[in-house]
């Protein structure tokens, strides 16, 4: 068991403040079971604005159904544990059927209020509805304050670009020194960083009601495609045994790619250089040994992978923040 460092997160701060406000407001109004409004706040605080809004709707609908069913059951059948169990047995399938099962836990708070009440009348129903409005409403207000994720997204972007710079630089060195081991950053670690960045970018989308996409997400998706090509390039370079003039040309190309990973307009220029290399390779001397043949074949395949790598970036364009 490992004890993590003590820290107060943004969501924790919002939850504590929301609970405090809900209890104070419910008590000032004079509601019964006023502390329950704090429970509603806790259940409705979410990671994103969209999730919070959806949760509020589902919970309100589910609680309204619970009030109607509970009022009928406990009024005409009595407030007994058996009636409570039968009522829940009917209530849960109803919420699942209409797709508001997320509000089951919240509804149980209201159901228990009805169960414990001596008399179920209009005043009690209004009391429960006001508790819902205060608890869910304050949670929604708290969730309107979401920190921007742009700083974290930029950190991931810089880290991934640094890894791409190092990888392509090592590839360039490897083409000049065929027997040298390619000490690239861990592809698995780079892949994990891209997945985390995509998840964060998707979360940022969910913080906006009118925006359904995020250019950061498409950017990291583009890098994920390029990473797959880089893995294939590494295998090809490691299979090469001979260093020829053609290999040096490709080395210079990859060096240019490495130096311009962060640039938004380098792809077309590098593609032009790549096509020039392909034209030059058409006039090279034919391989004399099987090793040279395999090496030059791997080189042609490498150029195809680099071409696809550059085309993916060219099609993406620039990152629009």
């Amino acid at each position: 068991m490992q004890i993590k460092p003590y820290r107060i997160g943004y969501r924790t701060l919002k939850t504590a403040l929301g609970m405090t406000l809900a209890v104070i407001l419910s008590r000032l109004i004079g509601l019964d079971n006023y502390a329950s409004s704090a429970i509603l706040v806790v259940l409705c605080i979410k990671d994103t604005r969209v999730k919070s809004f959806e949760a509020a709707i589902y919970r309100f609908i589910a609680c309204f159904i619970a009030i109607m069913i509970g009022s009928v059951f406990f009024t005409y059948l009595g407030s007994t544990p058996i009636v409570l169990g039968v009522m829940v047995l009917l209530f849960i399938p109803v919420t699942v059927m209409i797709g508001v099962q997320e509000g089951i836990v919240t509804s149980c708070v209201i159901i228990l209020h009805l169960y414990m009440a001596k008399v179920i009348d209009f005043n009690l129903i209004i009391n429960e509805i006001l508790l819902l409005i205060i608890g869910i409403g304050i949670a929604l207000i708290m969730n309107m304050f979401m920190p921007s994720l742009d700083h974290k997204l930029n950190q991931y972007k810089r880290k991934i670009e640094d890894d791409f710079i190092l990888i392509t630089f090592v590839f360039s060195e490897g083409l000049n020194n065929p027997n040298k081991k390619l000490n690239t950053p861990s592809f698995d670690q780079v892949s994990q960083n891209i997945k985390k960045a995509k998840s964060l970018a998707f979360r940022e989308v969910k913080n906006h009601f009118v925006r359904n996409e995020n250019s950061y997400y498409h950017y990291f998706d583009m890098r994920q495609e390029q990473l797959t090509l880089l893995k294939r390039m590494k295998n090809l370079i490691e299979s090469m045994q001979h260093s020829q003039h053609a290999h040096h040309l490709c080395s210079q190309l990859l060096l240019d790619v490495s130096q311009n990973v962060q640039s938004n307009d380098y792809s077309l220029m590098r593609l032009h250089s790549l096509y020039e290399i392909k034209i030059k390779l058409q006039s090279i001397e034919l391989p004399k040994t099987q090793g040279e043949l395999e090496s030059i074949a791997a080189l042609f395949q490498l150029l195809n992978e680099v071409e696809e790598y550059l085309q993916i970036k060219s099609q993406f364009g620039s990152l629009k923040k």
Side-chain angles (χ1 to χ4, degrees):
M1 182 177 178
Q2 185 179 3
I3 299 177
K4 297 182 179 180
Y6 179 80
R7 63 185 295 270
I8 298 176
Y10 199 75
R11 182 174 176 177
T12 303
L13 184 63
K14 289 192 299 181
T15 302
L17 180 60
M19 290 177 68
T20 304
L21 293 175
V23 171
I24 291 173
L25 184 57
S26 299
R27 191 173 182 180
L28 284 175
I29 295 175
L31 299 179
D32 295 330
N33 302 308
Y34 59 84
S36 297
S37 61
I39 299 176
L40 299 175
V41 171
V42 175
L43 294 173
C44 290
I45 292 288
K46 295 292 182 180
D47 293 331
T48 66
R49 294 189 185 104
V50 174
K51 282 185 179 180
S52 177
F53 187 73
E54 291 174 349
I57 294 175
Y58 295 154
R59 281 168 169 74
F60 194 85
I61 294 173
C63 289
F64 191 75
I65 295 172
I67 291 173
M68 292 190 296
I69 297 177
S71 299
V72 173
F73 268 67
F74 299 139
T75 299
Y76 294 102
L77 300 179
S79 297
T80 65
I82 294 177
V83 173
L84 175 64
V86 173
M87 185 259 169
V88 173
L89 196 64
L90 173 66
F91 168 71
I92 291 179
V94 170
T95 59
V96 174
M97 183 178 66
I98 63 177
V100 294
Q101 62 269 24
E102 191 175 349
I104 290 175
V105 177
T106 311
S107 302
C108 287
V109 177
I110 304 301
I111 291 171
L112 291 175
H113 288 174
L114 299 176
Y115 173 74
M116 297 295 293
K118 295 179 180 179
V119 178
I120 298 177
D121 54 14
F122 182 74
N123 290 332
L124 178 61
I125 293 174
I126 293 298
N127 184 88
E128 299 306 309
I129 292 176
L130 287 175
L131 283 175
L132 285 173
I133 292 174
I134 291 173
I136 295 175
I138 288 179
L140 281 175
I141 293 172
M142 291 294 103
N143 269 333
M144 289 300 103
F145 300 96
M146 287 288 180
S148 174
L149 298 176
D150 281 353
H151 178 66
K152 289 185 178 180
L153 290 170
N154 269 318
Q155 284 183 327
Y156 272 114
K157 176 178 178 290
R158 286 194 295 269
K159 171 60 179 169
I160 292 166
E161 286 178 345
D162 287 344
D163 287 335
F164 272 51
I165 289 171
L166 183 55
I167 289 170
T168 47
F169 177 78
V170 171
F171 286 177
S172 174
E173 291 290 300
L175 285 170
N176 284 327
N177 303 280
N179 298 321
K180 185 178 180 181
K181 184 179 179 181
L182 300 180
N183 292 317
T184 61
S186 169
F187 283 100
D188 289 338
Q189 185 59 53
V190 177
S191 179
Q192 284 297 318
N193 287 336
I194 293 175
K195 288 178 181 178
K196 290 178 182 178
K198 287 177 67 176
S199 178
L200 198 66
F202 185 75
R203 194 172 126 199
E204 176 68 6
V205 173
K206 291 298 181 180
N207 275 332
H208 303 272
F209 293 104
V210 296
R211 197 169 82 191
N212 58 6
E213 65 176 16
N214 184 295
S215 58
Y216 275 110
Y217 184 88
H218 296 298
Y219 172 82
F220 294 125
D221 193 47
M222 178 267 295
R223 290 302 185 193
Q224 194 169 43
E225 290 184 53
Q226 287 187 318
L227 184 64
T228 301
L229 294 170
L230 290 175
K231 291 177 183 178
R232 299 210 293 255
M233 289 182 206
K234 182 179 180 182
N235 293 332
L236 288 169
I237 294 173
E238 288 177 337
S239 69
M240 296 178 188
Q241 301 296 324
H242 297 269
S243 181
Q244 304 171 357
H245 176 64
H247 294 77
H248 294 304
L249 291 175
C250 292
S251 172
Q252 183 59 47
L253 174 64
L254 284 171
L255 181 61
D256 290 343
V257 171
S258 174
Q259 293 171 345
N260 293 277
V261 165
Q262 297 173 335
S263 174
N264 290 325
D265 56 357
Y266 77 94
S267 300
L268 292 177
M269 295 176 62
R270 301 292 80 74
L271 280 170
H272 179 72
S273 300
L274 185 145
Y275 296 142
E276 287 184 338
I277 293 174
K278 282 190 172 183
I279 293 174
K280 291 178 180 179
L281 290 180
Q282 292 178 0
S283 60
I284 64 171
E285 186 179 348
L286 292 176
K288 298 177 181 178
T289 66
Q290 182 177 351
E292 291 179 354
L293 178 62
E294 291 175 350
S295 184
I296 201 66
L299 185 65
F300 273 103
Q301 183 59 38
L302 175 65
L303 285 173
N304 291 334
E305 302 292 356
V306 175
E307 181 178 4
E308 187 175 352
Y309 175 94
L310 294 171
Q311 285 177 342
I312 288 173
K313 182 63 174 67
S314 176
Q315 291 167 1
F316 172 78
S318 59
L319 180 63
K320 298 178 182 179
K321 300 181 182 179

